[in-house]
Amino acid sequence: AQSVTQPDIHITVSEGASLELRCNYSYGATPYLFWYVQSPGQGLQLLLKYFSGDTLVQGIKGFEAEFKRSQSSFNLRKPSVHWSDAAEYFCAVAGNAGKSTFGDGTTLTVKP
Amino acid sequence: ETGVTQTPRHLVMGMTNKKSLKCEQHLGHNAMYWYKQSAKKPLELMFVYSLEERVENNSVPSRFSPECPNSSHLFLHLHTLQPEDSALYLCASSLSLLEGEQYFGPGTRLTVT
């Protein structure tokens, strides 16, 4: 069975500081991995995805993520956070056809 | 319109009412999904449709009844709901079942009184 763990429920960073959100997955083969962002009252928006190839993937809004097979991780990073990045972030793994498993989410608060 | 749209955006209903949620995707996708998102709980996959056929039903109570008349439209029919069914209901679509990348609508905020 596939699963995703986001160890941090809530993270607070200062505007302009760097950000790293952690994601660990469990899946027997090479997974498809995703990061989504959800602003209050909205649906989820895809930030980036990893299918194969280069383990460092670039996404929208200046985000990137690195796939590390040895650590079963897919952490999301941003070098300089903006106040508009405050939202909830979900990591997801897709393996079995038609089924993405989502983590519980990490809420990001940005301090001015 | 583009992307995935959902109507209504907000719905308040009594436990004896019958209502329907509508989802429409303008992306030419073949797979559509219903999710339930409750406060303090992970995203719950409810139903999956591929080419208008239901391929997954995750032990959802029968008071929720999905319908997919074509690959662009997905409905969730609601009847005799319980207060614990209050949640954000999200619709999503993907190019196919093999494509894990999903596009989400803005959701319907449902309150059951």
mmCIF file of all heavy atoms in Angstrom, chain A residues 32 34 36 38 41-46 49 51 88 90 94 96-100 102-104, chain B residues 9 33 35 37 42-43 45 48 56 58 88 90 97-107:
data_model
loop_
_atom_site.group_PDB
_atom_site.id
_atom_site.type_symbol
_atom_site.label_atom_id
_atom_site.label_comp_id
_atom_site.label_asym_id
_atom_site.label_seq_id
_atom_site.Cartn_x
_atom_site.Cartn_y
_atom_site.Cartn_z
ATOM 1 N N TYR A 32 5.008 8.196 -8.595
ATOM 2 C CA TYR A 32 4.747 9.545 -9.091
ATOM 3 C C TYR A 32 4.513 10.397 -7.834
ATOM 4 O O TYR A 32 3.725 10.020 -6.975
ATOM 5 C CB TYR A 32 3.500 9.575 -9.972
ATOM 6 C CG TYR A 32 3.615 8.823 -11.276
ATOM 7 C CD1 TYR A 32 2.499 8.644 -12.089
ATOM 8 C CD2 TYR A 32 4.819 8.290 -11.720
ATOM 9 C CE1 TYR A 32 2.587 7.958 -13.299
ATOM 10 C CE2 TYR A 32 4.916 7.600 -12.912
ATOM 11 C CZ TYR A 32 3.796 7.442 -13.704
ATOM 12 O OH TYR A 32 3.881 6.759 -14.888
ATOM 13 N N PHE A 34 3.875 14.381 -6.070
ATOM 14 C CA PHE A 34 3.304 15.693 -6.348
ATOM 15 C C PHE A 34 3.322 16.550 -5.090
ATOM 16 O O PHE A 34 3.244 16.052 -3.980
ATOM 17 C CB PHE A 34 1.835 15.563 -6.804
ATOM 18 C CG PHE A 34 1.618 14.599 -7.919
ATOM 19 C CD1 PHE A 34 1.407 13.258 -7.657
ATOM 20 C CD2 PHE A 34 1.629 15.027 -9.231
ATOM 21 C CE1 PHE A 34 1.216 12.352 -8.682
ATOM 22 C CE2 PHE A 34 1.427 14.125 -10.264
ATOM 23 C CZ PHE A 34 1.227 12.793 -9.992
ATOM 24 N N TYR A 36 0.959 19.889 -3.895
ATOM 25 C CA TYR A 36 -0.156 20.763 -4.186
ATOM 26 C C TYR A 36 -0.208 21.843 -3.110
ATOM 27 O O TYR A 36 0.190 21.632 -1.970
ATOM 28 C CB TYR A 36 -1.485 20.001 -4.147
ATOM 29 C CG TYR A 36 -1.699 18.986 -5.245
ATOM 30 C CD1 TYR A 36 -1.219 17.682 -5.124
ATOM 31 C CD2 TYR A 36 -2.410 19.312 -6.394
ATOM 32 C CE1 TYR A 36 -1.448 16.737 -6.114
ATOM 33 C CE2 TYR A 36 -2.647 18.368 -7.392
ATOM 34 C CZ TYR A 36 -2.146 17.087 -7.239
ATOM 35 O OH TYR A 36 -2.382 16.154 -8.225
ATOM 36 N N GLN A 38 -3.014 24.694 -1.289
ATOM 37 C CA GLN A 38 -4.427 25.049 -1.139
ATOM 38 C C GLN A 38 -4.544 26.325 -0.314
ATOM 39 O O GLN A 38 -4.159 26.351 0.848
ATOM 40 C CB GLN A 38 -5.196 23.916 -0.454
ATOM 41 C CG GLN A 38 -6.692 24.174 -0.355
ATOM 42 C CD GLN A 38 -7.439 23.040 0.322
ATOM 43 O OE1 GLN A 38 -6.903 22.354 1.183
ATOM 44 N NE2 GLN A 38 -8.691 22.835 -0.068
ATOM 45 N N GLY A 41 -10.399 28.150 1.482
ATOM 46 C CA GLY A 41 -11.634 28.152 0.722
ATOM 47 C C GLY A 41 -11.483 27.785 -0.743
ATOM 48 O O GLY A 41 -12.443 27.910 -1.512
ATOM 49 N N GLN A 42 -10.319 27.319 -1.116
ATOM 50 C CA GLN A 42 -10.069 26.989 -2.526
ATOM 51 C C GLN A 42 -9.731 25.505 -2.706
ATOM 52 O O GLN A 42 -9.503 24.787 -1.735
ATOM 53 C CB GLN A 42 -8.898 27.835 -3.050
ATOM 54 C CG GLN A 42 -9.139 29.331 -3.005
ATOM 55 C CD GLN A 42 -10.282 29.751 -3.904
ATOM 56 O OE1 GLN A 42 -10.405 29.295 -5.047
ATOM 57 N NE2 GLN A 42 -11.136 30.611 -3.394
ATOM 58 N N GLY A 43 -9.690 25.096 -3.972
ATOM 59 C CA GLY A 43 -9.252 23.743 -4.267
ATOM 60 C C GLY A 43 -7.738 23.657 -4.248
ATOM 61 O O GLY A 43 -7.036 24.631 -3.958
ATOM 62 N N LEU A 44 -7.212 22.479 -4.560
ATOM 63 C CA LEU A 44 -5.777 22.275 -4.576
ATOM 64 C C LEU A 44 -5.214 22.638 -5.947
ATOM 65 O O LEU A 44 -5.825 22.334 -6.978
ATOM 66 C CB LEU A 44 -5.447 20.800 -4.286
ATOM 67 C CG LEU A 44 -5.459 20.358 -2.824
ATOM 68 C CD1 LEU A 44 -6.855 20.409 -2.218
ATOM 69 C CD2 LEU A 44 -4.880 18.958 -2.695
ATOM 70 N N GLN A 45 -4.049 23.250 -5.944
ATOM 71 C CA GLN A 45 -3.366 23.609 -7.187
ATOM 72 C C GLN A 45 -2.028 22.884 -7.238
ATOM 73 O O GLN A 45 -1.267 22.892 -6.258
ATOM 74 C CB GLN A 45 -3.140 25.130 -7.252
ATOM 75 C CG GLN A 45 -2.435 25.579 -8.521
ATOM 76 C CD GLN A 45 -2.103 27.059 -8.520
ATOM 77 O OE1 GLN A 45 -2.063 27.714 -7.484
ATOM 78 N NE2 GLN A 45 -1.855 27.603 -9.691
ATOM 79 N N LEU A 46 -1.738 22.283 -8.365
ATOM 80 C CA LEU A 46 -0.486 21.552 -8.514
ATOM 81 C C LEU A 46 0.691 22.521 -8.567
ATOM 82 O O LEU A 46 0.697 23.462 -9.363
ATOM 83 C CB LEU A 46 -0.515 20.722 -9.797
ATOM 84 C CG LEU A 46 0.728 19.873 -10.062
ATOM 85 C CD1 LEU A 46 0.806 18.719 -9.068
ATOM 86 C CD2 LEU A 46 0.713 19.329 -11.489
ATOM 87 N N LYS A 49 5.636 18.231 -9.996
ATOM 88 C CA LYS A 49 5.461 16.785 -10.027
ATOM 89 C C LYS A 49 6.784 16.114 -10.400
ATOM 90 O O LYS A 49 7.637 16.700 -11.082
ATOM 91 C CB LYS A 49 4.400 16.409 -11.052
ATOM 92 C CG LYS A 49 4.757 16.857 -12.465
ATOM 93 C CD LYS A 49 3.596 16.663 -13.429
ATOM 94 C CE LYS A 49 3.974 17.185 -14.815
ATOM 95 N NZ LYS A 49 2.826 17.164 -15.753
ATOM 96 N N PHE A 51 8.013 12.438 -12.089
ATOM 97 C CA PHE A 51 7.650 11.160 -12.683
ATOM 98 C C PHE A 51 8.892 10.293 -12.854
ATOM 99 O O PHE A 51 8.888 9.109 -12.548
ATOM 100 C CB PHE A 51 6.986 11.354 -14.052
ATOM 101 C CG PHE A 51 5.559 11.821 -13.970
ATOM 102 C CD1 PHE A 51 4.852 12.134 -15.125
ATOM 103 C CD2 PHE A 51 4.901 11.968 -12.767
ATOM 104 C CE1 PHE A 51 3.528 12.569 -15.066
ATOM 105 C CE2 PHE A 51 3.589 12.399 -12.688
ATOM 106 C CZ PHE A 51 2.899 12.700 -13.847
ATOM 107 N N GLU A 88 -1.937 25.977 2.775
ATOM 108 C CA GLU A 88 -1.701 24.604 3.192
ATOM 109 C C GLU A 88 -1.089 23.838 2.027
ATOM 110 O O GLU A 88 -1.529 23.992 0.886
ATOM 111 C CB GLU A 88 -2.994 23.928 3.653
ATOM 112 C CG GLU A 88 -2.766 22.563 4.290
ATOM 113 C CD GLU A 88 -3.861 22.154 5.255
ATOM 114 O OE1 GLU A 88 -4.967 22.715 5.178
ATOM 115 O OE2 GLU A 88 -3.601 21.250 6.075
ATOM 116 N N PHE A 90 0.160 20.139 0.386
ATOM 117 C CA PHE A 90 -0.070 18.702 0.426
ATOM 118 C C PHE A 90 0.912 17.985 -0.500
ATOM 119 O O PHE A 90 1.067 18.362 -1.663
ATOM 120 C CB PHE A 90 -1.498 18.360 -0.037
ATOM 121 C CG PHE A 90 -2.569 18.841 0.883
ATOM 122 C CD1 PHE A 90 -3.141 20.095 0.705
ATOM 123 C CD2 PHE A 90 -3.008 18.043 1.925
ATOM 124 C CE1 PHE A 90 -4.138 20.544 1.559
ATOM 125 C CE2 PHE A 90 -4.007 18.482 2.787
ATOM 126 C CZ PHE A 90 -4.567 19.748 2.599
ATOM 127 N N ALA A 94 1.269 8.816 -6.219
ATOM 128 C CA ALA A 94 0.359 8.063 -7.084
ATOM 129 C C ALA A 94 1.099 6.843 -7.597
ATOM 130 O O ALA A 94 2.183 6.957 -8.161
ATOM 131 C CB ALA A 94 -0.131 8.915 -8.239
ATOM 132 N N ASN A 96 -0.834 3.076 -7.794
ATOM 133 C CA ASN A 96 -1.923 2.309 -8.385
ATOM 134 C C ASN A 96 -2.793 3.213 -9.239
ATOM 135 O O ASN A 96 -3.075 4.333 -8.872
ATOM 136 C CB ASN A 96 -2.776 1.672 -7.288
ATOM 137 C CG ASN A 96 -1.944 0.738 -6.436
ATOM 138 O OD1 ASN A 96 -1.031 0.088 -6.940
ATOM 139 N ND2 ASN A 96 -2.231 0.683 -5.164
ATOM 140 N N ALA A 97 -3.226 2.716 -10.364
ATOM 141 C CA ALA A 97 -3.971 3.527 -11.326
ATOM 142 C C ALA A 97 -5.172 4.180 -10.676
ATOM 143 O O ALA A 97 -5.973 3.538 -10.012
ATOM 144 C CB ALA A 97 -4.411 2.647 -12.491
ATOM 145 N N GLY A 98 -5.311 5.444 -10.880
ATOM 146 C CA GLY A 98 -6.486 6.157 -10.424
ATOM 147 C C GLY A 98 -6.469 6.538 -8.968
ATOM 148 O O GLY A 98 -7.444 7.058 -8.470
ATOM 149 N N LYS A 99 -5.381 6.293 -8.261
ATOM 150 C CA LYS A 99 -5.430 6.584 -6.836
ATOM 151 C C LYS A 99 -4.199 7.374 -6.398
ATOM 152 O O LYS A 99 -3.092 6.849 -6.405
ATOM 153 C CB LYS A 99 -5.514 5.290 -6.043
ATOM 154 C CG LYS A 99 -5.725 5.500 -4.564
ATOM 155 C CD LYS A 99 -6.158 4.220 -3.869
ATOM 156 C CE LYS A 99 -6.437 4.495 -2.404
ATOM 157 N NZ LYS A 99 -7.008 3.334 -1.739
ATOM 158 N N SER A 100 -4.442 8.616 -6.022
ATOM 159 C CA SER A 100 -3.403 9.410 -5.383
ATOM 160 C C SER A 100 -3.663 9.383 -3.895
ATOM 161 O O SER A 100 -4.789 9.556 -3.451
ATOM 162 C CB SER A 100 -3.438 10.859 -5.881
ATOM 163 O OG SER A 100 -2.882 10.968 -7.164
ATOM 164 N N PHE A 102 -2.835 11.304 -0.425
ATOM 165 C CA PHE A 102 -2.375 12.610 0.018
ATOM 166 C C PHE A 102 -1.900 12.539 1.461
ATOM 167 O O PHE A 102 -2.441 11.792 2.284
ATOM 168 C CB PHE A 102 -3.516 13.635 -0.082
ATOM 169 C CG PHE A 102 -3.871 14.006 -1.488
ATOM 170 C CD1 PHE A 102 -4.679 13.182 -2.256
ATOM 171 C CD2 PHE A 102 -3.396 15.173 -2.062
ATOM 172 C CE1 PHE A 102 -5.011 13.511 -3.570
ATOM 173 C CE2 PHE A 102 -3.720 15.520 -3.361
ATOM 174 C CZ PHE A 102 -4.524 14.681 -4.117
ATOM 175 N N GLY A 103 -0.892 13.376 1.765
ATOM 176 C CA GLY A 103 -0.504 13.548 3.145
ATOM 177 C C GLY A 103 -1.536 14.393 3.877
ATOM 178 O O GLY A 103 -2.487 14.903 3.278
ATOM 179 N N ASP A 104 -1.343 14.541 5.174
ATOM 180 C CA ASP A 104 -2.291 15.302 5.988
ATOM 181 C C ASP A 104 -2.149 16.799 5.823
ATOM 182 O O ASP A 104 -2.985 17.561 6.314
ATOM 183 C CB ASP A 104 -2.111 14.949 7.465
ATOM 184 C CG ASP A 104 -2.555 13.528 7.771
ATOM 185 O OD1 ASP A 104 -3.123 12.888 6.862
ATOM 186 O OD2 ASP A 104 -2.325 13.063 8.896
ATOM 187 N N ARG B 9 -20.990 26.938 -4.818
ATOM 188 C CA ARG B 9 -19.774 27.063 -4.010
ATOM 189 C C ARG B 9 -20.075 26.861 -2.524
ATOM 190 O O ARG B 9 -19.237 26.387 -1.774
ATOM 191 C CB ARG B 9 -19.136 28.436 -4.217
ATOM 192 C CG ARG B 9 -18.570 28.646 -5.608
ATOM 193 C CD ARG B 9 -17.355 27.738 -5.871
ATOM 194 N NE ARG B 9 -16.366 27.813 -4.830
ATOM 195 C CZ ARG B 9 -15.415 28.741 -4.765
ATOM 196 N NH1 ARG B 9 -15.332 29.662 -5.703
ATOM 197 N NH2 ARG B 9 -14.539 28.727 -3.761
ATOM 198 N N TYR B 33 -12.983 12.703 -10.170
ATOM 199 C CA TYR B 33 -12.910 12.241 -8.791
ATOM 200 C C TYR B 33 -13.756 13.142 -7.883
ATOM 201 O O TYR B 33 -13.851 14.348 -8.108
ATOM 202 C CB TYR B 33 -11.457 12.328 -8.288
ATOM 203 C CG TYR B 33 -10.414 11.737 -9.214
ATOM 204 C CD1 TYR B 33 -9.976 12.432 -10.340
ATOM 205 C CD2 TYR B 33 -9.854 10.492 -8.946
ATOM 206 C CE1 TYR B 33 -9.011 11.888 -11.188
ATOM 207 C CE2 TYR B 33 -8.882 9.956 -9.772
ATOM 208 C CZ TYR B 33 -8.476 10.657 -10.890
ATOM 209 O OH TYR B 33 -7.510 10.119 -11.725
ATOM 210 N N TYR B 35 -13.700 14.121 -3.777
ATOM 211 C CA TYR B 35 -13.012 14.039 -2.502
ATOM 212 C C TYR B 35 -13.829 14.767 -1.437
ATOM 213 O O TYR B 35 -14.511 15.745 -1.720
ATOM 214 C CB TYR B 35 -11.643 14.738 -2.565
ATOM 215 C CG TYR B 35 -10.586 14.039 -3.361
ATOM 216 C CD1 TYR B 35 -10.437 14.289 -4.724
ATOM 217 C CD2 TYR B 35 -9.699 13.152 -2.756
ATOM 218 C CE1 TYR B 35 -9.437 13.673 -5.466
ATOM 219 C CE2 TYR B 35 -8.690 12.529 -3.486
ATOM 220 C CZ TYR B 35 -8.569 12.797 -4.837
ATOM 221 O OH TYR B 35 -7.573 12.188 -5.566
ATOM 222 N N GLN B 37 -13.150 16.815 2.147
ATOM 223 C CA GLN B 37 -12.111 17.406 2.990
ATOM 224 C C GLN B 37 -12.765 17.991 4.233
ATOM 225 O O GLN B 37 -13.468 18.998 4.164
ATOM 226 C CB GLN B 37 -11.338 18.487 2.234
ATOM 227 C CG GLN B 37 -10.131 19.006 2.997
ATOM 228 C CD GLN B 37 -9.337 20.026 2.213
ATOM 229 O OE1 GLN B 37 -9.893 20.827 1.464
ATOM 230 N NE2 GLN B 37 -8.012 20.003 2.356
ATOM 231 N N PRO B 42 -7.459 14.094 6.913
ATOM 232 C CA PRO B 42 -6.845 14.071 5.580
ATOM 233 C C PRO B 42 -7.891 14.033 4.472
ATOM 234 O O PRO B 42 -9.056 13.702 4.720
ATOM 235 C CB PRO B 42 -6.014 12.781 5.588
ATOM 236 C CG PRO B 42 -6.602 11.944 6.667
ATOM 237 C CD PRO B 42 -7.183 12.868 7.668
ATOM 238 N N LEU B 43 -7.453 14.361 3.294
ATOM 239 C CA LEU B 43 -8.312 14.333 2.120
ATOM 240 C C LEU B 43 -8.801 12.896 1.894
ATOM 241 O O LEU B 43 -8.013 11.956 1.867
ATOM 242 C CB LEU B 43 -7.500 14.792 0.922
ATOM 243 C CG LEU B 43 -8.183 15.478 -0.238
ATOM 244 C CD1 LEU B 43 -8.935 16.706 0.206
ATOM 245 C CD2 LEU B 43 -7.150 15.844 -1.292
ATOM 246 N N LEU B 45 -10.668 10.246 -0.558
ATOM 247 C CA LEU B 45 -11.177 9.925 -1.887
ATOM 248 C C LEU B 45 -12.506 9.202 -1.738
ATOM 249 O O LEU B 45 -12.602 8.215 -1.013
ATOM 250 C CB LEU B 45 -10.174 9.044 -2.632
ATOM 251 C CG LEU B 45 -10.577 8.599 -4.030
ATOM 252 C CD1 LEU B 45 -10.709 9.781 -4.983
ATOM 253 C CD2 LEU B 45 -9.570 7.592 -4.570
ATOM 254 N N VAL B 48 -14.232 7.488 -7.969
ATOM 255 C CA VAL B 48 -13.403 7.695 -9.149
ATOM 256 C C VAL B 48 -14.176 7.210 -10.363
ATOM 257 O O VAL B 48 -14.742 6.111 -10.344
ATOM 258 C CB VAL B 48 -12.070 6.925 -9.061
ATOM 259 C CG1 VAL B 48 -11.230 7.168 -10.316
ATOM 260 C CG2 VAL B 48 -11.289 7.315 -7.814
ATOM 261 N N GLU B 56 -13.995 3.213 -8.637
ATOM 262 C CA GLU B 56 -13.681 3.090 -7.228
ATOM 263 C C GLU B 56 -14.775 3.740 -6.406
ATOM 264 O O GLU B 56 -15.279 4.799 -6.752
ATOM 265 C CB GLU B 56 -12.343 3.750 -6.897
ATOM 266 C CG GLU B 56 -11.914 3.565 -5.444
ATOM 267 C CD GLU B 56 -10.409 3.509 -5.277
ATOM 268 O OE1 GLU B 56 -9.693 3.332 -6.277
ATOM 269 O OE2 GLU B 56 -9.957 3.641 -4.133
ATOM 270 N N ASN B 58 -15.051 4.182 -2.329
ATOM 271 C CA ASN B 58 -14.332 3.899 -1.090
ATOM 272 C C ASN B 58 -15.252 3.811 0.116
ATOM 273 O O ASN B 58 -15.171 4.627 1.020
ATOM 274 C CB ASN B 58 -13.254 4.969 -0.856
ATOM 275 C CG ASN B 58 -12.002 4.667 -1.608
ATOM 276 O OD1 ASN B 58 -11.851 3.599 -2.177
ATOM 277 N ND2 ASN B 58 -11.095 5.623 -1.645
ATOM 278 N N LEU B 88 -15.845 20.319 2.970
ATOM 279 C CA LEU B 88 -15.575 20.856 1.635
ATOM 280 C C LEU B 88 -15.502 19.662 0.687
ATOM 281 O O LEU B 88 -14.726 18.739 0.914
ATOM 282 C CB LEU B 88 -14.265 21.635 1.627
ATOM 283 C CG LEU B 88 -13.871 22.313 0.309
ATOM 284 C CD1 LEU B 88 -14.828 23.459 -0.021
ATOM 285 C CD2 LEU B 88 -12.435 22.832 0.378
ATOM 286 N N LEU B 90 -14.558 18.379 -2.904
ATOM 287 C CA LEU B 90 -13.700 18.765 -4.015
ATOM 288 C C LEU B 90 -13.855 17.794 -5.173
ATOM 289 O O LEU B 90 -13.863 16.576 -4.981
ATOM 290 C CB LEU B 90 -12.236 18.785 -3.573
ATOM 291 C CG LEU B 90 -11.854 19.848 -2.555
ATOM 292 C CD1 LEU B 90 -10.502 19.542 -1.950
ATOM 293 C CD2 LEU B 90 -11.834 21.222 -3.212
ATOM 294 N N LEU B 97 -6.695 7.645 -15.881
ATOM 295 C CA LEU B 97 -6.425 7.060 -14.572
ATOM 296 C C LEU B 97 -4.938 6.883 -14.326
ATOM 297 O O LEU B 97 -4.484 6.879 -13.197
ATOM 298 C CB LEU B 97 -7.109 5.698 -14.469
ATOM 299 C CG LEU B 97 -8.584 5.686 -14.149
ATOM 300 C CD1 LEU B 97 -9.055 4.261 -13.929
ATOM 301 C CD2 LEU B 97 -8.900 6.536 -12.938
ATOM 302 N N LEU B 98 -4.176 6.726 -15.385
ATOM 303 C CA LEU B 98 -2.746 6.500 -15.227
ATOM 304 C C LEU B 98 -1.982 7.790 -14.957
ATOM 305 O O LEU B 98 -0.814 7.759 -14.603
ATOM 306 C CB LEU B 98 -2.186 5.811 -16.481
ATOM 307 C CG LEU B 98 -2.747 4.421 -16.749
ATOM 308 C CD1 LEU B 98 -2.179 3.855 -18.045
ATOM 309 C CD2 LEU B 98 -2.447 3.485 -15.590
ATOM 310 N N GLU B 99 -2.648 8.915 -15.159
ATOM 311 C CA GLU B 99 -2.018 10.208 -14.914
ATOM 312 C C GLU B 99 -2.318 10.620 -13.484
ATOM 313 O O GLU B 99 -3.437 10.940 -13.145
ATOM 314 C CB GLU B 99 -2.571 11.273 -15.877
ATOM 315 C CG GLU B 99 -2.252 11.034 -17.324
ATOM 316 C CD GLU B 99 -0.809 11.359 -17.635
ATOM 317 O OE1 GLU B 99 -0.239 12.211 -16.944
ATOM 318 O OE2 GLU B 99 -0.286 10.746 -18.579
ATOM 319 N N GLY B 100 -1.309 10.607 -12.612
ATOM 320 C CA GLY B 100 -1.576 10.952 -11.228
ATOM 321 C C GLY B 100 -1.840 12.427 -11.007
ATOM 322 O O GLY B 100 -2.374 12.823 -9.984
ATOM 323 N N GLU B 101 -1.449 13.263 -11.966
ATOM 324 C CA GLU B 101 -1.606 14.710 -11.833
ATOM 325 C C GLU B 101 -3.078 15.079 -11.946
ATOM 326 O O GLU B 101 -3.719 14.814 -12.963
ATOM 327 C CB GLU B 101 -0.816 15.390 -12.938
ATOM 328 C CG GLU B 101 -0.931 16.882 -13.017
ATOM 329 C CD GLU B 101 -0.102 17.418 -14.171
ATOM 330 O OE1 GLU B 101 0.725 16.661 -14.720
ATOM 331 O OE2 GLU B 101 -0.292 18.586 -14.536
ATOM 332 N N GLN B 102 -3.618 15.672 -10.913
ATOM 333 C CA GLN B 102 -5.036 16.000 -10.883
ATOM 334 C C GLN B 102 -5.231 17.503 -10.844
ATOM 335 O O GLN B 102 -4.441 18.241 -10.261
ATOM 336 C CB GLN B 102 -5.705 15.352 -9.672
ATOM 337 C CG GLN B 102 -5.681 13.827 -9.741
ATOM 338 C CD GLN B 102 -6.374 13.157 -8.584
ATOM 339 O OE1 GLN B 102 -7.149 13.759 -7.856
ATOM 340 N NE2 GLN B 102 -6.108 11.877 -8.414
ATOM 341 N N TYR B 103 -6.313 17.922 -11.454
ATOM 342 C CA TYR B 103 -6.711 19.329 -11.475
ATOM 343 C C TYR B 103 -7.991 19.446 -10.656
ATOM 344 O O TYR B 103 -8.970 18.747 -10.920
ATOM 345 C CB TYR B 103 -6.933 19.797 -12.911
ATOM 346 C CG TYR B 103 -5.652 19.839 -13.708
ATOM 347 C CD1 TYR B 103 -5.107 18.668 -14.244
ATOM 348 C CD2 TYR B 103 -4.971 21.029 -13.914
ATOM 349 C CE1 TYR B 103 -3.920 18.692 -14.950
ATOM 350 C CE2 TYR B 103 -3.790 21.069 -14.632
ATOM 351 C CZ TYR B 103 -3.266 19.895 -15.150
ATOM 352 O OH TYR B 103 -2.090 19.912 -15.842
ATOM 353 N N PHE B 104 -7.962 20.334 -9.676
ATOM 354 C CA PHE B 104 -9.056 20.444 -8.726
ATOM 355 C C PHE B 104 -9.943 21.651 -9.008
ATOM 356 O O PHE B 104 -9.471 22.703 -9.459
ATOM 357 C CB PHE B 104 -8.508 20.579 -7.302
ATOM 358 C CG PHE B 104 -8.000 19.292 -6.732
ATOM 359 C CD1 PHE B 104 -6.747 18.821 -7.068
ATOM 360 C CD2 PHE B 104 -8.781 18.544 -5.855
ATOM 361 C CE1 PHE B 104 -6.269 17.618 -6.547
ATOM 362 C CE2 PHE B 104 -8.315 17.350 -5.336
ATOM 363 C CZ PHE B 104 -7.062 16.889 -5.679
ATOM 364 N N GLY B 105 -11.209 21.479 -8.693
ATOM 365 C CA GLY B 105 -12.127 22.598 -8.667
ATOM 366 C C GLY B 105 -12.006 23.325 -7.340
ATOM 367 O O GLY B 105 -11.284 22.880 -6.439
ATOM 368 N N PRO B 106 -12.731 24.434 -7.180
ATOM 369 C CA PRO B 106 -12.634 25.242 -5.962
ATOM 370 C C PRO B 106 -13.373 24.636 -4.772
ATOM 371 O O PRO B 106 -13.175 25.062 -3.641
ATOM 372 C CB PRO B 106 -13.263 26.573 -6.361
ATOM 373 C CG PRO B 106 -14.207 26.214 -7.450
ATOM 374 C CD PRO B 106 -13.585 25.074 -8.194
ATOM 375 N N GLY B 107 -14.221 23.639 -5.049
ATOM 376 C CA GLY B 107 -14.927 22.983 -3.953
ATOM 377 C C GLY B 107 -16.298 23.563 -3.681
ATOM 378 O O GLY B 107 -16.605 24.707 -4.048
#
